[in-house]
Amino acid sequence: VITSILIHLTGLMAVAFAVGVILCRHPMHSALCLIGLMGMLGAIFAMMGVYVVALFQVMIYVGAVMVLMVYVIMLMDERDRAMVRKYTRYAIPATGVGLLLAVLASRLPHPSAGIPGAPRDLFLFKAFSQAFVEDYGFPIALAAVLLLVGIFSAVAVIRQQESEGRDGQR
Amino acid sequence: MDNVSFLQFVAALVFFMGFAGMVARRNLLVVLMCVEMMLNGVILMLVVAAIQTLTLEGPVLAFMIFVVAACELAVAIPIVLLLMKRRNTLELASYDDLKG
């Protein structure tokens, strides 16, 4: 019962932080709200017993992605027009459609009601690591190679454009 | 409301609030944050589905999303910095000439 109450409380706080991301004027405040949202989701994962995802949520998202984001915000100009005018003209329709779709998506049928307290051993590091290497190792390695090829291609395109630009200047 | 329905609702709400923010906000960095928010909604939905079905596909896919999100941001942040250096603003309307 206590876990259930905590999951509900953390979920509500996650939604509140998500609202904060959209409503805050300064990007730094939005970033702090996003960090709060990610932390709350990490707490939910930990309470559900999926410690692997909880750990990576905090390590990768809060520890790496958001730190990068905060560095860029520090380079921003305070007098930027984007700080003064927050919303586009699509703000109200987008919010309405978003809320409607959220309600519809949450009405999707699900096979069983209630999380029965996930089996502790299935989502622990040992079982996860074994399954990850044995069953999903090849697809993940393939995806990593594809990402690497994408990055190299991007670098190659940029270099080509740079050399063309230099030739044009001559 | 039971835990599964509640978490499904939270995941859907986080995803579509990210979508609404992506459409509604003018600041390029906040738009990127809203994309991250959408990815977080997807991860929550995957984990809830994994716990319901007691399978590992959800967490593995979530792991994949972590990697892709980190790569996406590693590419997006330099682009944002270059745009900021070139026009000194992050307002999306300033980059209308980029379309098509």
Side-chain angles (χ1 to χ4, degrees):
Chain A
V1 180
I2 293 172
T3 311
S4 182
I5 293 170
L6 281 176
I7 285 178
H8 277 72
L9 270 178
T10 325
L12 288 176
M13 283 176 73
V15 173
F17 278 125
V19 173
V21 174
I22 302 177
L23 292 185
C24 286
R25 180 180 297 272
H26 200 289
M28 184 62 93
H29 298 157
S30 293
L32 289 175
C33 285
L34 191 57
I35 290 171
L37 165 69
M38 289 167 175
M40 291 299 128
L41 292 187
I44 290 175
F45 297 146
M47 279 188 277
M48 290 194 299
V50 193
Y51 301 113
V52 184
V53 181
L55 182 79
F56 282 110
Q57 173 85 15
V58 175
M59 262 173 54
I60 297 183
Y61 263 128
V62 183
V65 169
M66 289 315 294
V67 169
L68 204 62
M69 202 78 98
V70 168
Y71 279 149
V72 178
I73 293 169
M74 289 194 302
L75 295 174
M76 272 184 72
D77 188 359
E78 281 282 332
R79 295 157 297 177
D80 195 338
R81 277 171 305 183
M83 299 266 208
V84 183
R85 293 161 65 205
K86 264 199 308 188
Y87 300 115
T88 60
R89 60 176 182 270
Y90 306 112
I92 294 170
T95 311
V97 171
L99 281 175
L100 187 72
L101 289 176
V103 171
L104 286 177
S106 66
R107 297 275 170 198
L108 289 174
H110 49 84
S112 62
I115 295 173
R120 297 284 164 190
D121 54 339
L122 181 64
F123 298 114
L124 286 183
F125 285 91
K126 194 177 173 187
F128 180 81
S129 311
Q130 269 178 350
F132 194 79
V133 174
E134 286 169 9
D135 302 335
Y136 306 101
F138 180 68
I140 295 280
L142 197 66
V145 169
L146 280 176
L147 282 172
L148 207 61
V149 169
I151 291 171
F152 280 135
S153 316
V155 173
V157 169
I158 290 168
R159 290 237 166 131
Q160 194 182 4
Q161 282 178 348
E162 277 178 355
S163 62
E164 280 173 8
R166 264 186 243 124
D167 292 343
Q169 280 175 355
R170 280 175 201 164
Chain B
M1 198 186 270
D2 62 290
N3 283 345
V4 168
S5 307
F6 176 71
L7 288 178
Q8 272 186 337
F9 182 63
V10 170
L13 209 57
V14 169
F15 180 87
F16 286 111
M17 275 161 65
F19 163 77
M22 198 181 76
V23 176
R25 292 297 301 255
R26 285 173 176 272
N27 193 313
L28 192 55
L29 263 181
V30 182
V31 170
L32 269 179
M33 288 182 210
C34 290
V35 173
E36 298 298 324
M37 208 157 92
M38 290 168 78
L39 288 176
N40 271 282
V42 173
I43 290 173
L44 181 58
M45 197 65 107
L46 280 173
V47 170
V48 171
I51 286 181
Q52 274 183 291
T53 52
L54 294 178
T55 51
L56 275 178
E57 275 86 358
V60 170
L61 264 176
F63 190 80
M64 194 66 214
I65 292 177
F66 287 140
V67 175
V68 172
C71 290
E72 169 227 313
L73 216 72
V75 175
I77 292 291
I79 293 173
V80 168
L81 284 176
L82 281 175
L83 288 174
M84 201 157 68
K85 203 170 138 191
R86 193 165 283 191
R87 302 220 181 144
N88 215 18
T89 178
L90 281 180
E91 194 183 17
L92 278 174
S94 307
Y95 302 103
D96 273 354
D97 53 334
L98 288 179
K99 59 184 155 190

